[in-house]
Amino acid sequence: MPGLNRFLGFYLLIGLLQGVVFNYADRFFNSNQALFTGVMVVALVGGTTLQLLGEKARQWRALLPTLAFTLLMSGMTAWVFYREEHLLISRREVDAWCLSLVLLSYIGASFLCAWPAAKGQRWRYENLFQQAWNSVFIVLYALMLVGLFLLLLKLWSRLFLMLGIEFFELHFWSQTFMCFSVPLVFALGMYMAGRSEKVIGQMRGMLFGACGLLLPLIALISVLFTLTLPFTGLDRIWATGYSTPILLVLAGAQLFLLNGVFQEGGQPRPYPKWLMRFVEFSVVCLPILAALAFYSSWLRVEQYALSPQRFIALALALLCSLYGLAAVWAVALRSPAWLSNLRVTNPVLALLFCVLLVLVNTPVLNPIRLSADDQVRRLLDGRTNPEAFDAHYLRFGLGKAGEQAYAQLQMDVDQERILNPESRRALRERMDDTSLSFDEQLAKERALAPKPELEWIGPKPKGSEQFVDMSEIADSPCESGCVLWAVDLDADGQSEVLVVPLTSFRNEYKGPRIYALDEKGQWDDRGPLLWTQLPSGHVDTEMLIHDIREGNIALVKPRYRQLQTRDMLLTPVIREP
């Protein structure tokens, strides 16, 4: 394998340490969940960033900032997930931070890898640009290598499984093997891609070539759309309900292609003079498109209040506006190098984007909390009529912040501290109509449902009243009533209880179960009673209850005994001929 040297051990060591973390991840999670998230971020973010640094990791000026960035991301993750006032983090917030963490890690790694490692060197935009794109292709190459590795393992294991050899199928897909092999193969892919500068350069060149081909087309789309607006008006845009994402995609795609053509800012002019002027003219459309997207979302906020999706749309539209204004300013400067001012504004805006990503995951700009506050504020200042207030969305659509705002609003209404009497009455009706949560609805249905009928055949054993409480539990065998029979099944002098549900043999089947007293005097479910003559094991409960009542039942010793191994108890299931 060309290009391998002793520095490969550095990559493999990182992969090995990542494998150790992944293999013992469940123990970290069980011992301390905050520690678990911190260690996982250190392994993923820190390990991948160090692999992207490559040989620069030997120099302290590059290594120390990387370690500091890794610890910062680890601490931020632990704080977001497990801060005291936010223990019950919603799935939406988890997904938002995971996406933010990926973007922050990518931008941070690009800056760290482009930072001058030697004292006295000057930071250069060319290094940042190349490293940002190289990181994408290096990680993509490593992921492709991991995918091919897994496919070959699947082929290997399946081939030998056809021969009846299960060893490879069992061990290749075990947790330990996966936790160690995947990071090691990924590390090998990072090493190979990091030293294949020619291949990475060709991939980057192909992408930039496509950008150069598509930029005039999207410039034409932007110009034609912008020039058409005075003749069609804006009302049709506001009426669609989906104008913001389309406008943001158009502006974002044009910015992406523009930077793909601009590249490091030192290449010759990419187009003829007339086409250059047309592209520059289309750049003026960028702030207009971003402003339309911002105003479109703002209209929705004015009509229906703030929501997390609208907040994110407003933030992205504002960011696109800043990028568009920076591009317009670069055109207006008319510098010798085409759009050379982007070399100054792009890094600043990238760091501003990082700050925004951090803030939206904190109480400062948390979209869910801001949305809940805006919902209540609009109600109190009269912009939202109590009859039209969406109490259900506030309570169940905005996570913990919405639940807290709903509880506070309900308390204020009950204590008559807000609104006028007529508005309070209308709001109380809206809140009373709010759908109950799943647990509340289930509790209400159980309270209104008739108590299950319990019928004892023969004397009741000690603690029989416990079955009354157990019958009210969800998915209880006695949910629709049952017959109970105390019988000593194991001949130890202490009766067990056979619980036979009152369900049909063919419909809504629930099998009989055996309960035994534990050391604390509680009746414990020990498992089902099966009819082994049938493949399904289902018991005809109606016939069983009839035979118990008639006394047509007997205790029979099993013909075959159980087998006890070192850590297993094997019970034979025999179907008599």
Side-chain angles (χ1 to χ4, degrees), residues 561-571:
R561 296 186 179 184
Q562 295 173 313
L563 296 179
Q564 178 71 57
T565 68
R566 183 175 55 183
D567 55 357
M568 294 184 295
L569 181 63
L570 307 178
T571 302

Short mmCIF file of all heavy atoms in Angstrom, two decimals, residues 561-571:
data_model
loop_
_atom_site.label_atom_id
_atom_site.label_comp_id
_atom_site.label_asym_id
_atom_site.label_seq_id
_atom_site.Cartn_x
_atom_site.Cartn_y
_atom_site.Cartn_z
N ARG A 561 -37.56 -34.63 32.78
CA ARG A 561 -37.06 -33.64 33.71
C ARG A 561 -36.35 -32.50 32.98
O ARG A 561 -35.95 -32.63 31.83
CB ARG A 561 -36.10 -34.29 34.72
CG ARG A 561 -36.75 -35.32 35.61
CD ARG A 561 -35.77 -35.80 36.66
NE ARG A 561 -36.38 -36.77 37.55
CZ ARG A 561 -35.78 -37.30 38.62
NH1 ARG A 561 -34.52 -36.97 38.87
NH2 ARG A 561 -36.41 -38.16 39.38
N GLN A 562 -36.16 -31.39 33.68
CA GLN A 562 -35.42 -30.26 33.14
C GLN A 562 -33.91 -30.54 33.19
O GLN A 562 -33.46 -31.38 33.98
CB GLN A 562 -35.72 -28.99 33.93
CG GLN A 562 -37.18 -28.53 33.82
CD GLN A 562 -37.48 -27.36 34.74
OE1 GLN A 562 -37.11 -27.39 35.91
NE2 GLN A 562 -38.12 -26.34 34.21
N LEU A 563 -33.18 -29.83 32.34
CA LEU A 563 -31.73 -29.94 32.31
C LEU A 563 -31.12 -28.65 32.85
O LEU A 563 -31.47 -27.56 32.40
CB LEU A 563 -31.24 -30.18 30.88
CG LEU A 563 -31.66 -31.50 30.23
CD1 LEU A 563 -31.12 -31.58 28.81
CD2 LEU A 563 -31.17 -32.69 31.05
N GLN A 564 -30.23 -28.79 33.82
CA GLN A 564 -29.56 -27.64 34.42
C GLN A 564 -28.11 -27.61 33.96
O GLN A 564 -27.34 -28.54 34.23
CB GLN A 564 -29.61 -27.73 35.95
CG GLN A 564 -28.88 -26.60 36.67
CD GLN A 564 -29.62 -25.28 36.54
OE1 GLN A 564 -30.77 -25.19 36.92
NE2 GLN A 564 -28.94 -24.27 36.00
N THR A 565 -27.73 -26.56 33.22
CA THR A 565 -26.32 -26.36 32.85
C THR A 565 -25.73 -25.31 33.78
O THR A 565 -26.34 -24.95 34.79
CB THR A 565 -26.21 -25.90 31.39
OG1 THR A 565 -26.75 -24.59 31.26
CG2 THR A 565 -26.97 -26.85 30.47
N ARG A 566 -24.55 -24.84 33.43
CA ARG A 566 -23.88 -23.88 34.30
C ARG A 566 -24.69 -22.59 34.44
O ARG A 566 -24.79 -22.02 35.52
CB ARG A 566 -22.50 -23.56 33.74
CG ARG A 566 -21.67 -22.62 34.60
CD ARG A 566 -20.28 -22.45 34.03
NE ARG A 566 -20.35 -21.99 32.64
CZ ARG A 566 -19.29 -21.80 31.86
NH1 ARG A 566 -18.09 -22.09 32.31
NH2 ARG A 566 -19.43 -21.38 30.61
N ASP A 567 -25.29 -22.11 33.34
CA ASP A 567 -26.04 -20.86 33.43
C ASP A 567 -27.37 -20.93 32.70
O ASP A 567 -27.97 -19.91 32.40
CB ASP A 567 -25.21 -19.71 32.84
CG ASP A 567 -24.76 -20.02 31.41
OD1 ASP A 567 -25.06 -21.12 30.93
OD2 ASP A 567 -24.13 -19.15 30.80
N MET A 568 -27.88 -22.14 32.42
CA MET A 568 -29.17 -22.27 31.74
C MET A 568 -30.00 -23.35 32.41
O MET A 568 -29.47 -24.32 32.94
CB MET A 568 -28.96 -22.64 30.26
CG MET A 568 -28.29 -21.57 29.43
SD MET A 568 -28.20 -22.04 27.67
CE MET A 568 -27.10 -23.46 27.77
N LEU A 569 -31.32 -23.15 32.37
CA LEU A 569 -32.28 -24.16 32.79
C LEU A 569 -33.12 -24.50 31.57
O LEU A 569 -33.89 -23.67 31.07
CB LEU A 569 -33.16 -23.63 33.92
CG LEU A 569 -34.20 -24.63 34.45
CD1 LEU A 569 -33.52 -25.85 35.07
CD2 LEU A 569 -35.13 -23.96 35.46
N LEU A 570 -32.97 -25.73 31.05
CA LEU A 570 -33.62 -26.14 29.81
C LEU A 570 -34.86 -26.95 30.14
O LEU A 570 -34.79 -27.96 30.85
CB LEU A 570 -32.66 -26.96 28.96
CG LEU A 570 -31.30 -26.30 28.67
CD1 LEU A 570 -30.43 -27.24 27.85
CD2 LEU A 570 -31.49 -24.98 27.95
N THR A 571 -36.01 -26.50 29.62
CA THR A 571 -37.28 -27.16 29.89
C THR A 571 -37.78 -27.82 28.62
O THR A 571 -37.98 -27.14 27.60
CB THR A 571 -38.32 -26.14 30.38
OG1 THR A 571 -37.82 -25.49 31.56
CG2 THR A 571 -39.64 -26.82 30.71
#
